[in-house]
Amino acid sequence: DSVRLFSVDHADLFITNERNTMTRELLAGIPHSLLLSNSNGEMAVLVPAVPPVRPLISSVPFSTELVLDRSDRAWLAALENAYYVYPVHVSLSFLYSTTLASALYLLLLRFLNRQYKRVAQLVDTVSSDTNLSAEEERSLQFMASAKNSPDAHPDAHACRLKISLVMLDSPVSLLWDLSEEMS
């Protein structure tokens, strides 16, 4: 018999230490996550909704290191949920987003970790033609926050352009200049 730490909020989910190449790849860029499992072996990832900051590191211009800013009161005030639970597909190849807010937060984490291919895949899940909630707006706008090191990688420009395209029908003002992104 092994000891298991079960979730109070999610019956049948417990913390698992089961790791393999695929789960490590899924958790890359999400340093503050917990891998959960249930009695059927289905997995989920629990992630607190804390603003991630990619600080500028002069000696490593394309760093993917994240610092969690737990003191950002404006971010915390905008939250409807203190955490997100992402079910893991049975193939262990991707995470599901159950809400627009969780999809935008995952998009932010993948973008800050410079996982541009995953960002491009996720972008289609965040299209909206309605006003975003304060929580959703924060995650989207935080990609261009001055708190994060600037990202001038060509793939980062392409990701921002794709985000702009899917948000075209949404009444949201993005923090980046489209003409600058295309140049």
Side-chain angles (χ1 to χ4, degrees):
D1 283 327
S2 62
V3 175
R4 291 182 172 168
L5 290 173
F6 280 87
S7 170
V8 173
D9 295 334
H10 303 279
D12 198 33
L13 286 179
F14 57 88
I15 297 173
T16 180
N17 289 323
E18 187 177 321
R19 297 288 190 278
N20 59 41
T21 305
M22 295 184 86
T23 56
R24 280 191 292 279
E25 190 175 308
L26 275 178
L27 299 177
I30 315 174
H32 54 303
S33 63
L34 283 176
L35 186 60
L36 306 174
S37 184
N38 66 16
S39 57
N40 295 328
E42 299 166 330
M43 293 184 170
V45 177
L46 176 76
V47 183
V50 179
V53 176
R54 186 182 58 213
L56 179 62
I57 303 172
S58 300
S59 61
V60 187
F62 290 103
S63 168
T64 58
E65 296 299 320
L66 294 181
V67 176
L68 303 174
D69 183 4
R70 298 178 193 279
S71 66
D72 189 331
R73 293 181 189 268
W75 176 286
L76 298 173
L79 289 178
E80 293 175 24
N81 302 299
Y83 60 87
Y84 303 114
V85 177
Y86 299 97
V88 176
H89 188 265
V90 69
S91 68
L92 301 180
S93 56
F94 62 92
L95 303 174
Y96 287 108
S97 298
T98 55
T99 65
L100 181 57
S102 68
L104 286 165
Y105 188 72
L106 183 59
L107 186 74
L108 171 64
L109 291 172
R110 298 297 192 207
F111 184 80
L112 292 178
N113 196 245
R114 301 178 196 275
Q115 296 179 19
Y116 306 119
K117 184 177 177 183
R118 286 192 182 237
V119 170
Q121 293 168 340
L122 277 170
V123 168
D124 294 325
T125 68
V126 301
S127 64
S128 175
D129 58 358
T130 62
N131 288 324
L132 299 179
S133 71
E135 178 177 15
E136 295 161 349
E137 180 87 20
R138 276 241 180 265
S139 290
L140 183 61
Q141 301 298 3
F142 210 73
M143 283 185 202
S145 170
K147 291 183 176 183
N148 293 314
S149 64
D151 198 341
H153 192 283
D155 289 344
H157 290 292
C159 288
R160 287 189 289 266
L161 286 170
K162 188 167 182 184
I163 292 166
S164 300
L165 180 63
V166 300
M167 289 300 200
L168 202 57
D169 293 330
S170 178
V172 69
S173 298
L174 299 170
L175 294 180
W176 49 82
D177 179 17
L178 286 179
S179 57
E180 190 176 303
E181 293 298 327
M182 290 190 283
S183 61

